[in-house]
Amino acid sequence: MSEFEHDLSKYAELIVKIGANVQQGQDVYVSSQIEGAPLARLVAEHAYKAGAGNVIVDWADDALTRLKYDHAAPEVFTQFPEWEKLRRNEVVERGGCFIFLNSSNPDLLSGVDPKKIGSYQKAAGEALAVYRQATASDKIAWTIAASATKAWAAKVFPGESAEVSVRKLWQAIFDAVRLHADDPVENWRAHDANLQARAAWLNEQRFDKLHYSAPGTDLTIGLPKGHLWMTAGGTKPDGIGFMKNMPTEEVFTVPHRDGASGYVSSSKPLSYSGTLIDRFKLTFENGRIVGVEAEEGEEILKQIVETDDGSHYLGEVALVPHRSPISNANLLFYNTLFDENASNHLAIGLGFPFTLEGGKTMSPEELREAGVNASVVHVDFMVGRADMEIDGIRADGTKVPVFRGGNWAN
């Protein structure tokens, strides 16, 4: 076995044991690009070794996806396959878990009619309501990890040969997920404990608002009463933990739906459904997005915001220090899974119920009353910079430094 094959197997084991935390007899749904088959097979192998029941692999192919967007009629994108909805719902009902191996080409849908992309995202969001609710409330375990592909590697390392760029991307992925510790599994547990300590400090502060200041950004975000700062580590109702994305460097919570005011500028490109949105600015009044500007991908961004009523509001606020393994790599991954963990970020759309005290058991009406946003979309975008400052503001107006110079103030 080569060193790379050994590392790939260790990575698959980490995804299974820390990411999805596969349990005895549990069904495992794996989503992967065909090009990512070697990793998907190793994930299946380690899942079975962990005691999995059925491992179901859902294969995707970028070339076929592009053919559909180029040639299918517009009305096709307003539909979502019933069988696909039922398959995911069955995994949820059986208490299974989901592993998503993310590797799509960032430019896959470049030049495609934005209305087709927006229509399909809306149709999928509505059809997968049961699945989305299960993931948003920690009812089931799920994790997102990455698999290197030629198209993605060429975007991150332009000018290199396909072989060299793919090798470099795999190395960057392994570094980002802290694979090269003596015991990667135990190292991840220690990393999560450190993030949990940050979240605990923020929860002790009980901030009423956060104020963001940086070139192109002057934004105040209100926080609902009972908000909870969390890490990517989740816990199911049976007490079994899992890690929602690998890598992770964030602590996050839910903003109040009506609490954002001011403006914020992106700090990294947003790769969304195979298109790139870059150098954009959002303006808020009483929580609602009232202004959308982008130098690249503006129509796509407007489509996202116009998806439904909830897509006009924020659903997540996440804090990530500028000094982190991903940020220190000084790479633009063109992949939100990585780029969001190199930068403070926000999300348009769905707010997570588990980031509010008692939120997991609240009805949609109760969540809305508490200030948690509802939407069929949840789109992260990066705003952090090396010169960003963030203050926590208590109900009495007291300000506490949270970030200075792009990093934790304490």
Side-chain angles (χ1 to χ4, degrees):
M1 180 183 291
S2 69
E3 182 179 355
F4 171 74
E5 290 171 328
H6 177 69
D7 283 347
L8 196 66
S9 182
K10 286 199 323 185
Y11 180 40
E13 182 181 18
L14 198 61
I15 292 168
V16 167
K17 289 186 176 180
I18 293 294
N21 194 4
V22 175
Q23 300 295 300
Q24 187 72 34
Q26 189 175 38
D27 286 349
V28 182
Y29 177 106
V30 180
S31 175
S32 171
Q33 289 285 319
I34 291 174
E35 192 177 338
L39 176 60
R41 293 177 187 130
L42 286 169
V43 165
E45 178 184 341
H46 283 285
Y48 282 125
K49 286 180 178 179
N54 288 311
V55 178
I56 307 109
V57 181
D58 181 14
W59 298 108
D61 179 66
D62 277 350
L64 290 174
T65 299
R66 180 69 199 217
L67 285 171
K68 178 178 179 178
Y69 275 95
D70 281 342
H71 301 293
E75 57 268 22
V76 170
F77 299 92
T78 65
Q79 307 158 10
F80 189 84
E82 183 71 11
W83 62 266
E84 175 67 11
K85 179 183 81 171
L86 293 174
R87 180 166 66 166
R88 291 208 194 187
N89 287 354
E90 183 179 356
V91 175
V92 171
E93 290 165 7
R94 289 170 58 86
C97 61
F98 292 81
I99 295 174
F100 299 96
L101 302 178
N102 186 319
S103 60
S104 289
N105 175 4
D107 296 325
L108 177 63
L109 301 185
S110 178
V112 166
D113 181 356
K115 291 182 180 179
K116 286 185 176 181
I117 298 171
S119 293
Y120 189 72
Q121 291 297 322
K122 183 176 182 179
E126 292 173 347
L128 298 176
V130 171
Y131 156 78
R132 290 177 65 85
Q133 178 60 26
T135 57
S137 60
D138 281 2
K139 179 181 177 181
I140 58 170
W142 57 279
T143 191
I144 305 174
S147 181
T149 57
K150 292 178 182 177
W152 180 20
K155 186 74 175 180
V156 180
F157 299 101
E160 300 279 12
S161 68
E163 180 181 358
V164 170
S165 63
V166 169
R167 185 172 68 246
K168 284 187 173 182
L169 182 55
W170 272 122
Q171 188 59 53
I173 292 171
F174 293 158
D175 289 343
V177 298
R178 303 164 182 262
L179 188 70
H180 294 121
D182 290 337
D183 187 336
V185 171
E186 285 305 315
N187 187 49
W188 258 88
R189 289 174 179 148
H191 174 50
D192 183 49
N194 179 58
L195 293 174
Q196 294 280 4
R198 292 289 187 187
W201 178 82
L202 286 163
N203 284 325
E204 290 171 0
Q205 305 307 307
R206 309 313 307 168
F207 291 131
D208 186 60
K209 301 174 183 177
L210 295 176
H211 179 253
Y212 289 64
S213 179
T217 294
D218 183 2
L219 181 69
T220 299
I221 300 176
L223 303 174
K225 292 182 179 179
H227 67 274
L228 296 171
W229 289 93
M230 310 286 286
T231 71
T235 304
K236 297 189 298 173
D238 59 7
I240 301 296
F242 61 99
M243 191 66 62
K244 296 166 189 174
N245 49 271
M246 304 177 77
T248 182
E249 302 291 335
E250 67 178 325
V251 293
F252 62 94
T253 193
V254 63
H256 195 289
R257 184 180 191 269
D258 305 322
S261 61
Y263 54 90
V264 63
S265 295
S266 64
S267 58
K268 292 178 181 290
L270 168 60
S271 180
Y272 179 78
S273 293
T275 62
L276 211 61
I277 306 168
D278 198 8
R279 300 178 299 282
F280 59 92
K281 178 181 177 181
L282 299 178
T283 302
F284 296 82
E285 290 181 5
N286 299 318
R288 189 175 180 87
I289 298 172
V290 296
V292 177
E293 306 169 44
E295 292 185 28
E296 182 178 352
E298 184 172 297
E299 286 305 310
I300 295 292
L301 184 56
K302 287 180 176 178
Q303 287 282 337
I304 295 170
V305 173
E306 294 295 332
T307 301
D308 57 22
D309 184 61
S311 56
H312 291 78
Y313 299 84
L314 293 177
E316 179 186 345
V317 51
L319 301 178
V320 180
H322 186 68
R323 287 192 299 267
S324 71
I326 303 171
S327 181
N328 292 345
N330 199 29
L331 286 174
L332 182 58
F333 282 88
Y334 298 96
N335 183 302
T336 303
L337 174 62
F338 288 82
D339 292 332
E340 73 169 8
N341 282 295
S343 169
N344 288 316
H345 56 275
L346 305 170
I348 295 169
L350 176 71
F352 298 128
F354 59 82
T355 53
L356 187 75
E357 291 177 358
K360 291 182 182 181
T361 58
M362 287 184 181
S363 68
E365 294 76 19
E366 289 171 328
L367 288 167
R368 174 65 184 87
E369 182 66 24
V372 178
N373 190 39
S375 175
V376 299
V377 299
H378 180 93
V379 181
D380 295 288
F381 63 98
M382 286 61 73
V383 302
R385 301 164 48 109
D387 50 3
M388 174 166 276
E389 298 195 344
I390 303 174
D391 287 317
I393 305 172
R394 298 196 177 103
D396 63 2
T398 304
K399 292 184 178 181
V400 178
V402 177
F403 265 56
R404 289 292 183 268
N407 294 294
W408 292 102
N410 56 41

